[in-house]
């Protein structure tokens, strides 16, 4: 059974233009499934290639790109007199593809749909020479709305309840158990579809192993890969915390420059996300100490023993991430806010919100000069400026 993803309508809007559509993201987030569904929605004159298959790559290895075009036509038994649709999965395995895509877009009526496992490689594969010829979409693990869809819930009903300004205990209880599962096991599609916890755990172990083997060992080829592994564990323990790069370099016995390199790689392959402190000054944002979050709550839970507050904050981060740019706010005076979205709306995350949290949050937004703020609560509580986590 196919479950639609929230970015699907945006992908379909790009069916008619010339630009190559590229879907990138971590392994196992559903890129291939999404692309397959899009492939099936195209009525005719289409062909599919999987670059994990060396025989499919061979069709693109001719020196003359005009011959590559002929190979594509022949492989798909296509009509060269009409526009053709070329779908390629896992493009990072063949770096030459960017030049071929550029040439064929410029010289033929070819529409490309491509997937790649990480932005780290796509940035190298698709340089600025493809400016104006590509549209990149990022696919992440499921957000909570998609998670409910995978569970067979009525999304229209959920969104109707979600938009209400005040929620009853009964409405909260409709979704609290789902949200707890979302916190415990995360949003990778294959994990969400499993009912047994033992199998969920096995799936998550395999997802982490696949990332480590394919991205870190195979594609990155770090000489000291065990240092990257150890850094991952240290970062998981610090989820939601500011990073002390000096301490990390001391614990791993590597230079700060190496730590920067590892963090850049982990960020650009979607395994972690870093957010900067909120400031009206762009320079201060860049230079400020960053906080780290993991790609998925399920991955976080299998990597380290963390408290429920960390897991909740990481889960809320992944809910807010797709809505815009996130910062955090912290002053030496003690005022702090977990997240500021698009420099406009503040969110403070609490497992059980209290009236004191509301007061503290309001003081924080006054200090940060932000107009709107909310406390996100996992447990059911009533009050102004409180959002229950399942309805964020």
């Amino acid at each position: 059974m196919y479950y639609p993803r929230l970015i699907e309508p945006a992908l379909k809007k790009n069916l008619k233009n010339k630009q190559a559509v590229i879907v990138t993201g971590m392994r196992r987030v559903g890129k291939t499934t999404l692309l397959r569904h899009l492939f099936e929605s195209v009525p005719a004159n289409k062909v599919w290639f999987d670059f994990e298959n060396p025989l499919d790559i061979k069709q693109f290895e001719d020196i003359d790109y005009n011959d590559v075009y002929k190979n594509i036509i022949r492989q798909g038994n296509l009509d060269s007199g009409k526009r053709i649709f070329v779908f390629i999965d896992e493009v990072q395995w063949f770096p030459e593809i960017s030049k071929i895509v550029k040439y064929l877009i410029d010289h033929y009526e070819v529409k490309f749909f491509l997937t790649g496992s990480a932005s780290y490689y796509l940035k190298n594969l698709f340089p600025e020479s493809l400016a104006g010829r590509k549209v990149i979409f990022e696919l992440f693990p499921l957000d909570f709305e998609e998670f409910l869809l995978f569970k067979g819930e009525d999304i229209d009903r959920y969104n109707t309840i979600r938009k209400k300004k005040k929620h009853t205990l009964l409405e909260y209880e409709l979704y609290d158990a789902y949200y707890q599962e979302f916190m415990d096991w995360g949003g990778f599609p294959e994990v969400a579809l499993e009912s047994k916890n033992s199998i969920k755990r096995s799936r998550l172990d395999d997802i982490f192993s696949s990332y480590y083997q394919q991205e870190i060992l195979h594609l990155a080829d770090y000489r000291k890969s065990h240092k990257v592994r150890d850094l991952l564990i240290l970062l998981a323990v610090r989820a939601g915390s500011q990073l002390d790069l000096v301490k990390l370099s001391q614990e791993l016995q590597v230079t700060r420059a190496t730590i920067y390199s590892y963090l850049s790689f982990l960020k650009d392959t979607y395994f972690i996300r870093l957010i900067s402190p909120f400031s009206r000054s762009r320079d201060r944002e860049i230079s400020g100490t960053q906080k780290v979050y993991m790609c998925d709550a399920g991955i976080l839970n299998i990597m380290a023993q963390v408290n429920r507050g960390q897991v909740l904050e990481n889960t809320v981060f992944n809910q807010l991430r797709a809505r815009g740019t996130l910062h955090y706010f912290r002053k030496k005076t003690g005022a702090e806010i977990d997240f500021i979205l698009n420099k406009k709306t503040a969110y403070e995350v609490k497992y059980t919100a209290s009236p004191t949290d509301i007061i503290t949050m309001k003081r924080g937004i006054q200090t940060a000069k932000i107009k709107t703020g909310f406390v996100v609560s996992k447990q059911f509580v009533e009050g102004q400026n409180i959002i229950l986590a399942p309805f964020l």
Side-chain angles (χ1 to χ4, degrees):
M1 181 176 178
Y2 175 75
Y3 298 90
R5 300 298 297 271
L6 292 180
I7 72 167
E8 188 178 319
L11 292 176
K12 289 184 175 178
K13 284 182 180 179
N14 283 271
L15 274 169
K16 294 182 180 180
N17 60 30
K18 287 197 67 172
Q19 289 106 321
V21 173
I22 305 166
V23 181
T24 181
M26 275 191 74
R27 293 177 180 277
R28 317 279 276 274
V29 292
K31 300 185 301 297
T32 300
T33 301
L34 177 60
L35 199 70
R36 273 288 182 190
H37 179 73
L38 202 61
F39 177 79
E40 291 168 3
S41 71
V42 174
N45 227 35
K46 58 188 179 181
V47 62
W48 177 278
F49 296 96
D50 179 357
F51 276 4
E52 287 191 318
N53 183 346
L55 295 178
D56 281 359
I57 292 178
K58 185 173 177 58
Q59 305 300 321
F60 293 80
E61 289 180 336
D62 283 273
I63 296 175
D64 188 339
Y65 294 162
N66 296 297
D67 289 336
V68 171
Y69 176 74
K70 294 174 185 176
N71 293 342
I72 292 171
I73 295 295
R74 182 170 57 253
Q75 180 75 10
N77 194 26
L78 306 177
D79 183 351
S80 60
K82 298 179 181 179
R83 192 185 197 200
I84 67 172
F85 294 85
V86 180
F87 292 76
I88 307 175
D89 199 20
E90 303 288 4
V91 295
Q92 75 276 359
W93 296 109
F94 185 59
E96 186 71 17
I97 189 63
S98 64
K99 298 176 184 177
I100 298 171
V101 168
K102 177 182 182 297
Y103 182 86
L104 296 186
I105 288 175
D106 289 346
H107 293 84
Y108 297 98
E109 282 296 309
V110 183
K111 176 69 177 182
F112 282 96
F113 289 88
L114 317 168
T115 75
S117 68
S119 64
Y120 181 82
Y121 305 106
L122 289 177
K123 286 176 183 175
N124 295 321
L125 286 173
F126 295 90
E128 287 308 307
S129 61
L130 270 181
R133 297 180 182 87
K134 67 180 186 295
V135 183
I136 296 181
F137 293 89
E138 294 177 310
L139 189 65
F140 296 95
L142 308 176
D143 72 0
F144 188 57
E145 181 180 339
E146 291 174 318
F147 181 84
L148 290 174
L149 186 64
F150 273 56
K151 294 296 181 181
E153 284 295 305
D154 185 334
I155 296 303
D156 290 335
R157 181 181 71 159
Y158 166 72
N159 281 321
T160 298
I161 295 173
R162 179 186 184 185
K163 291 174 184 177
K164 294 172 65 175
K165 291 184 178 180
K166 186 177 180 180
H167 298 100
T168 67
L169 177 59
L170 179 61
E171 289 169 337
Y172 167 81
E173 288 178 340
L174 285 173
Y175 300 104
D176 178 51
Y178 282 126
Y179 196 83
Q180 186 61 56
E181 182 182 349
F182 187 57
M183 282 180 58
D184 291 341
W185 300 105
F188 279 94
E190 64 194 271
V191 178
L193 291 172
E194 288 293 345
S195 58
K196 293 183 178 180
N197 288 349
S198 60
I199 301 179
K200 289 177 181 290
R201 170 72 198 218
S202 177
R203 293 275 189 263
L204 284 169
D205 286 339
D206 190 50
I207 289 167
F208 177 78
S209 175
S210 175
Y211 171 81
Y212 187 76
Q213 296 291 331
Q214 298 293 340
E215 308 288 8
I216 295 175
L217 298 185
H218 192 166
L219 287 173
D221 194 26
Y222 283 118
R223 286 184 300 147
K224 297 181 179 180
S225 58
H226 64 285
K227 296 290 186 181
V228 187
R229 177 203 61 202
D230 293 346
L231 176 62
L232 279 170
I233 295 169
L234 291 175
L235 294 175
V237 174
R238 290 164 169 77
S241 301
Q242 291 176 299
L243 289 181
D244 185 335
L245 299 185
V246 174
K247 187 174 289 187
L248 286 173
S249 67
Q250 289 172 346
E251 288 192 49
L252 291 172
Q253 296 185 325
V254 297
T255 66
R256 270 185 287 175
T258 300
I259 293 291
Y260 278 117
S261 172
Y262 290 167
L263 289 174
S264 177
F265 172 80
L266 295 173
K267 178 172 63 74
D268 287 340
T269 53
Y270 295 102
F271 202 88
I272 65 168
R273 293 296 287 261
L274 302 174
I275 65 172
S276 300
F278 173 78
S279 173
R280 299 294 178 185
S281 166
R282 176 63 176 163
D283 291 337
R284 288 185 180 180
E285 281 180 18
I286 294 171
S287 62
T289 302
Q290 294 180 306
K291 286 172 67 174
V292 63
Y293 294 93
M294 307 305 287
C295 60
D296 177 76
I299 291 291
L300 172 60
N301 283 322
I302 69 163
M303 288 186 64
Q305 288 187 335
V306 291
N307 63 55
R308 65 184 186 179
Q310 284 178 281
V311 178
L312 175 61
E313 186 176 332
N314 206 103
T315 303
V316 169
F317 167 79
N318 282 319
Q319 287 179 269
L320 293 173
R321 165 197 41 73
R323 303 180 192 179
T325 303
L326 288 172
H327 295 87
Y328 75 93
F329 179 77
R330 183 169 295 167
K331 287 289 186 182
K332 292 180 180 179
T333 56
E336 63 178 83
I337 300 169
D338 289 325
F339 303 113
I340 296 177
L341 177 64
N342 296 327
K343 297 193 174 185
K344 294 180 180 179
T345 308
Y347 297 91
E348 179 66 16
V349 183
K350 298 294 180 182
Y351 203 86
T352 305
S354 69
T356 303
D357 295 323
I358 302 293
I359 295 169
T360 303
M361 182 272 298
K362 287 182 177 179
R363 287 175 181 166
I365 65 173
Q366 287 174 357
T367 305
K369 298 180 181 179
I370 299 292
K371 292 183 178 180
T372 308
F374 301 93
V375 176
V376 180
S377 179
K378 167 61 171 68
Q379 298 290 76
F380 180 83
V381 290
E382 292 181 308
Q384 211 171 17
N385 293 96
I386 290 177
I387 298 177
L388 300 174
F391 304 121
L392 180 62

